[in-house]
Amino acid sequence: MVEKVITLENVSLVEFLGPDNQNIRQLAAAFPGSKIISRGNEIKIQGQTAVISRINEILSALLEHYHQYGQITDKTVSQYLSSADEDQQDRMLAASPDVILFGAKGGVIKAKTANQQRLVDAVLKNDLVFALGPAGTGKTYISVALAVRALKNKEVKKIIISRPVVEAGESLGFLPGDMKEKVDPYLRPIYDALEDMLPPEKFKFYLENKTIEIAPLAYMRGRTLNNAFVLLDEAQNTTPSQLKMFLTRMGPNAKVMVNGDRSQIDLPTKQKSGLIQALDILRDVRDIGFVEMTSEDVVRHRLVKQIVQAYDKFDVQQQKEQANRPPREYQQSYRRRQDEVAHHDPGKHPDARREDDGTRDLPVNQEQQM
C-alpha cells in the first residue's frame, strides 16, 4: 500500500473540507479500497498507486474549484467524482475498442454477436444504416448505446430518437392522460435503454435542455436534423410517406439509424409498410448500410430464440400454402363459369341441392332394430 500526503495552503479548512469533514468522507466513500485521513491542513491518502493517482486528480480539481468559487459543497464533490468516472471510462474505451460504452452502473455495453458487431461497424462507416431483425436481437439497445457514445465523444450535439405511434390492438383515445402520457408507453423501451447508460441526474438534464429528444415520428415533420444522432425505431410501422419524410430530414453531420422487424407490422391490413418499400428502393444506393439480424442474435431469455424460430417456420409454411392456392382471379373465373352453367341448368350448379328421388336413406330407428 502506497501513501501520499497533500498539504492544503491558503484554504479555509471549514469551507474546503465541509462540516465535520463531510466532503472528505464523501470522497473516501467513493474509493472503499483506500483510506483518506484529514488532520489539520494535511490530507493523507493510502491505497494502490492507480487509486491514489485518481484521488489526487480529484482533490487537485476541487482545489482549483475552491480558489475560483471560494466554497466546496457535497454536490460539487459528486460532480467531480462523476467527471472522474467518465474520464476513467474514456481511457478504458480507448484501450478496449470492442466496448461501445460503460453503463450508468459501470457495466460494459458491447456487441454480443457477430451481427451486432456488424451493426456497430456499419454505423461507424455509413451515415445512414438500416438494421433489420426479430425482437430481442439488440437493435434498439445497441443503437441507443452508439448514440450515447457519439454524444459523449462530442461527435454530435444531440440525440433524437423517434418511433411511430401505431395502435397495436388498443386505441390511444381510450388511454388515460394527456397526449404525452398516452404516447410515453410506446417510447418506454427507449427510456429504459437510456436509463441503463446515463446517470439519472445527467439523463434528466439532457432531457430538460433538449440534448436528448424522444418524440413520436409525427413531430419530425418540417425539421432539419443536423449535428445529431437520429434513431427511428419500429420503422416497419411507418407508411411510405412517413418514412420518406423522415429520411429527407437528414441534415449535415447527422448519423441516422432505421430499425425494424418485418414480422411485427401493426399497420392496417391493406397499408404497405414504408420500411419494406424503402428496402426495395434504396437497396442499391451507395453509402447506405444494411444489417440483417436473425434469431441467432437474440440476447433475451433462451425461449425468445425458440419462439422466433417457431414463428419463422410457421411463416414459411404459410407462404408455401399460399403459393399452392389457385390465384384469386382463377377462383373468380371458375365461379363465374359455374354461375353461367347454373343459369341454363340450375341442377348442375355445385351448390344446388340434390332432389329427393325417394331412394335416399331414411334415418334408422334404433328401437325398431332391437
Side-chain angles (χ1 to χ4, degrees):
M1 183 174 286
V2 182
E3 181 176 293
K4 180 178 178 63
V5 177
I6 298 174
T7 302
L8 303 177
E9 299 178 351
N10 301 320
V11 171
S12 167
L13 297 180
V14 174
E15 297 291 346
F16 185 79
L17 301 176
D20 195 24
N21 289 347
Q22 172 183 311
N23 297 336
I24 293 301
R25 287 190 287 107
Q26 183 179 353
L27 183 60
F31 298 93
S34 63
K35 288 185 178 181
I36 305 178
I37 304 168
S38 173
R39 289 180 180 172
N41 67 336
E42 290 187 344
I43 298 177
K44 183 183 295 184
I45 310 170
Q46 298 176 341
Q48 301 296 323
T49 303
V51 175
I52 288 179
S53 177
R54 291 185 65 197
I55 295 173
N56 185 51
E57 288 177 3
I58 295 171
L59 282 172
S60 298
L62 289 171
L63 282 168
E64 289 183 13
H65 183 97
Y66 171 80
H67 288 305
Q68 184 173 358
Y69 299 102
Q71 187 180 19
I72 298 294
T73 66
D74 56 345
K75 187 174 182 179
T76 308
V77 177
S78 296
Q79 290 174 342
Y80 278 94
L81 283 170
S82 176
S83 177
D85 287 342
E86 290 185 3
D87 291 341
Q88 176 71 5
Q89 289 178 3
D90 290 341
R91 288 192 289 270
M92 293 175 68
L93 283 173
S96 307
D98 61 326
V99 176
I100 301 173
L101 192 70
F102 287 93
K105 298 180 180 179
V108 175
I109 300 173
K110 62 180 180 179
K112 295 183 178 180
T113 70
N115 281 330
Q116 286 187 0
Q117 186 60 51
R118 285 184 59 227
L119 179 57
V120 174
D121 296 339
V123 172
L124 295 177
K125 182 180 178 181
N126 302 284
D127 288 337
L128 174 58
V129 175
F130 286 80
L132 310 164
T137 52
K139 301 185 301 298
T140 300
Y141 200 79
I142 293 294
S143 301
V144 172
L146 290 169
V148 173
R149 184 175 73 173
L151 183 65
K152 287 172 63 70
N153 291 344
K154 297 180 172 57
E155 297 168 10
V156 296
K157 292 183 179 179
K158 66 191 313 180
I159 295 172
I160 301 172
I161 305 178
S162 184
R163 68 191 306 182
V165 177
V166 176
E167 299 169 2
E170 295 180 359
S171 175
L172 282 176
F174 289 98
L175 295 177
D178 58 20
M179 180 53 67
K180 182 180 184 301
E181 291 170 328
K182 291 175 188 289
V183 167
D184 272 357
Y186 291 85
L187 305 172
R188 189 68 250 172
I190 296 168
Y191 283 102
D192 290 343
L194 286 167
E195 287 169 358
D196 275 355
M197 300 170 194
L198 293 168
E201 303 83 6
K202 180 159 287 188
F203 182 34
K204 181 180 179 181
F205 173 75
Y206 282 155
L207 288 175
E208 289 174 349
N209 70 2
K210 301 295 185 182
T211 300
I212 295 179
E213 287 186 58
I214 306 173
L217 179 59
Y219 285 46
M220 300 297 107
R221 189 173 296 277
R223 299 181 58 181
T224 298
L225 307 177
N226 186 26
N227 291 314
F229 193 110
V230 189
L231 167 63
L232 176 61
D233 205 29
E234 302 290 345
Q236 76 276 2
N237 288 326
T238 60
T239 64
S241 61
Q242 285 176 331
L243 189 52
K244 180 182 177 183
M245 175 275 292
F246 173 80
L247 293 175
T248 53
R249 301 303 94 203
M250 189 174 178
N253 192 35
K255 283 275 187 183
V256 177
M257 291 190 67
V258 179
N259 295 349
D261 178 358
R262 294 185 184 91
S263 68
Q264 292 192 358
I265 298 176
D266 297 317
L267 293 168
T269 305
K270 295 182 179 180
Q271 177 66 64
K272 184 175 180 64
S273 168
L275 176 64
I276 304 302
Q277 184 191 73
L279 294 176
D280 293 336
I281 295 173
L282 304 176
R283 179 64 69 179
D284 297 325
V285 177
R286 293 180 57 188
D287 300 324
I288 297 180
F290 297 89
V291 179
E292 293 273 0
M293 309 183 88
T294 70
S295 59
E296 295 302 318
D297 299 300
V298 172
V299 291
R300 291 180 182 169
H301 192 283
R302 59 179 179 81
L303 283 176
V304 175
K305 181 182 295 186
Q306 298 176 35
I307 291 169
V308 170
Q309 290 173 341
Y311 270 93
D312 287 344
K313 184 178 178 180
F314 174 79
D315 290 340
V316 170
Q317 185 62 34
Q318 289 287 96
Q319 290 172 5
K320 288 181 179 178
E321 292 178 2
Q322 186 69 29
N324 292 331
R325 290 175 187 168
R328 187 173 181 181
E329 293 80 5
Y330 173 82
Q331 294 176 351
Q332 292 174 343
S333 175
Y334 174 79
R335 188 73 184 181
R336 282 195 299 271
R337 290 198 301 272
Q338 295 297 332
D339 289 341
E340 290 173 2
V341 171
H343 178 74
H344 298 289
D345 188 353
K348 293 184 178 180
H349 194 280
D351 292 340
R353 292 185 177 179
R354 189 176 60 182
E355 293 293 335
D356 185 2
D357 56 3
T359 61
R360 295 174 60 186
D361 294 334
L362 296 175
V364 177
N365 188 321
Q366 300 294 333
E367 292 182 358
Q368 292 177 352
Q369 283 187 336
M370 294 181 62

